[in-house]
Amino acid sequence: MSDLNNPVASGQPTERLIGRRSIPAGDARSVIIRQRYDAPIEEVWSACTDPNRINRWFIEPKGDLRQGGTFDLPGNAHGDILRCEPPRLLTLSWIYGDKPDSEVELRLSEDGSGALLELEHATVSDPMLIEVAVGWEMALDFLSMFLRGDLPGVSVPEDAAEEFEPSPEMMRIAQERGQTWAALVNAGS
């Protein structure tokens, strides 16, 4: 079992990109993270959309979890489920505090015997780009650990985000990723 404060990446290279797209809030820039998982596409889809599995590596969503419904991640974001096409596409509006509305899209495709996950978070708020990029990349580390069976088989408590204390190693990894993303964001300006 791995230490939750020291997530280990999937072992596969992570591809990081900066994109542009239009969302309801306006012309947005987006961060795109691509990772390959050694699991069938249906397994990765289930880990990302089944509340009884999401809560093993992320925050359990509450709400009317279907296309046209809403979701709430207690202590984090909430929004609408705009598109849901299992096991390949999930698009959500993403509302976090008083920040401008953004949009998150999860795209899955088969990649040999595994699955390629592409997560895109589009926002009109440029200062948020690096923050969301690092946050999603760290979350995908936990997804990788979960899919490999390296996380405990217990639910993450709802108040875990409030109590979570990152380790020095985790802070170092987040800082390095922040620098990498900042360079990409600045190069794409």
Side-chain angles (χ1 to χ4, degrees), residues 47-113:
C48 293
T49 60
D50 179 345
N52 295 318
R53 298 189 75 207
I54 295 170
N55 71 345
R56 310 284 173 135
W57 64 274
F58 196 59
I59 303 165
E60 182 180 356
K62 308 288 186 196
D64 182 10
L65 305 178
R66 61 177 175 78
Q67 184 166 321
T70 61
F71 74 93
D72 179 43
L73 299 172
N76 196 297
H78 66 278
D80 298 319
I81 301 168
L82 305 173
R83 291 176 65 194
C84 184
E85 300 170 12
R88 302 204 179 267
L89 178 69
L90 178 65
T91 307
L92 310 168
S93 65
W94 193 265
I95 304 164
Y96 183 80
D98 61 353
K99 310 272 195 242
D101 293 6
S102 56
E103 195 171 277
V104 173
E105 190 163 274
L106 176 72
R107 299 180 283 265
L108 290 169
S109 58
E110 292 178 11
D111 186 36
S113 62

Side-chain angles (χ1 to χ4, degrees), residues 117-137:
L117 178 147
E118 181 175 271
L119 185 140
E120 181 174 16
H121 190 135
T123 179
V124 296
S125 176
D126 273 357
M128 281 182 58
L129 279 175
I130 297 167
E131 179 182 322
V132 299
V134 173
W136 281 119
E137 197 169 335

